[in-house]
Amino acid sequence: MKIINFSETNSILNQYVSEIRNVEVHKDRLRFRRNIERIGEVMAYEMSKSFAYSVKNIQTPLGVAPVSTPDNQLVISTILRAGLPFHQGFLSYFDRAENAFVSAYRKYKDTLKFDIHIEYIASPRIDGKTLIITDPMLATGGSMELSYQAMLTKGEPVEIHVAAIIASRQAVDHIASVFPEAKTTIWCAAIDPEIDSHSYIVPGLGDAGDLAYGDKE
């Protein structure tokens, strides 16, 4: 299984990550959402290099131009609600992709213990397609695992890309243990060392959904 950590290389992606982490920038929800979106765009571009390509002959006004374009049938699956701007970043580049949406939430037993529940899924068939599952924060990997299991009710993808902005090392290890090794790639803008007692990534950035759309009751 490939694990790609963009923070290990120098690119403009690191600037966007630095801003979504920065408490001084957090007050600007529009900028936070746009940076999440831009990270999705950059990640989509890098991911596109791994797809299968073939040459097509394109008719121009003056002749025929051979162009190598991707052949993958894409389905972009997003975990609501924090994943929406991240999803839009991918969709801006993969504009012909089909889309799926999964609602996953934490149901707390007390302040520290919780179960993860899948409440809703809307998806096309994914048989033989390339499945991209996006979630900006990968803390434990539990929501990602359950979302993947929910997506399997819609078919069997030929390959899987798990995309996160900030992941904990624990979550990456968990995803690597439960997703099919031969056809899964994990893409992260950064991998942080730990999660706290509330299962928040440290140093992380806080609650991505609240920072993007406001506090929830």
Side-chain angles (χ1 to χ4, degrees):
M1 180 177 295
K2 281 187 178 181
I3 300 172
I4 296 162
N5 181 359
F6 287 105
S7 68
E8 296 175 343
T9 59
N10 291 327
S11 79
I12 193 61
L13 188 70
N14 293 339
Q15 177 63 39
Y16 307 145
V17 173
S18 75
E19 292 187 10
I20 64 172
R21 286 191 192 266
N22 192 330
V23 293
E24 298 302 320
V25 185
H26 280 178
K27 298 173 185 176
D28 188 344
R29 289 180 192 159
L30 177 61
R31 186 165 190 83
F32 184 85
R33 291 194 302 271
R34 181 59 187 126
N35 279 332
I36 294 285
E37 192 175 327
R38 291 197 288 186
I39 292 168
E41 292 169 353
V42 174
M43 202 173 286
Y45 170 75
E46 294 295 334
M47 189 181 291
S48 73
K49 298 176 184 178
S50 70
F51 294 163
Y53 284 73
S54 65
V55 175
K56 287 87 171 176
N57 290 320
I58 307 301
Q59 183 67 53
T60 80
L62 300 177
V64 176
V67 183
S68 182
T69 60
D71 298 321
N72 300 57
Q73 290 181 277
L74 303 180
V75 177
I76 307 171
S77 176
T78 294
I79 300 175
L80 301 174
R81 67 177 168 156
L84 289 172
F86 196 33
H87 179 101
Q88 184 57 52
F90 277 87
L91 193 57
S92 292
Y93 276 37
F94 302 148
D95 54 316
R96 297 185 179 182
E98 296 177 281
N99 297 269
F101 299 92
V102 179
S103 173
Y105 69 97
R106 293 179 177 185
K107 185 174 183 179
Y108 282 87
K109 300 176 180 178
D110 55 43
T111 55
L112 297 179
K113 296 179 181 178
F114 61 87
D115 293 325
I116 299 172
H117 293 265
I118 299 294
E119 190 174 48
Y120 169 85
I121 178 172
S123 172
R125 295 297 301 175
I126 62 172
D127 293 295
K129 298 176 183 177
T130 296
L131 176 63
I132 303 169
I133 310 179
T134 66
D135 192 6
M137 306 298 289
L138 205 59
T140 67
S143 295
M144 182 65 71
E145 179 186 0
L146 289 178
S147 297
Y148 170 60
Q149 293 298 327
M151 290 299 299
L152 290 180
T153 65
K154 306 299 182 181
E156 186 69 39
V158 70
E159 63 179 342
I160 305 157
H161 297 275
V162 173
I165 297 176
I166 299 177
S168 72
R169 173 51 60 185
Q170 174 182 326
V172 171
D173 291 343
H174 179 72
I175 294 302
S177 70
V178 298
F179 275 60
E181 180 178 0
K183 61 180 182 180
T184 302
T185 303
I186 302 174
W187 305 76
C188 301
I191 299 176
D192 285 358
E194 60 183 345
I195 57 175
D196 65 14
S197 58
H198 294 275
S199 294
Y200 280 100
I201 303 170
V202 179
L205 56 76
D207 189 303
D210 288 355
L211 290 168
Y213 297 110
D215 296 342
K216 56 187 177 293
E217 186 175 330

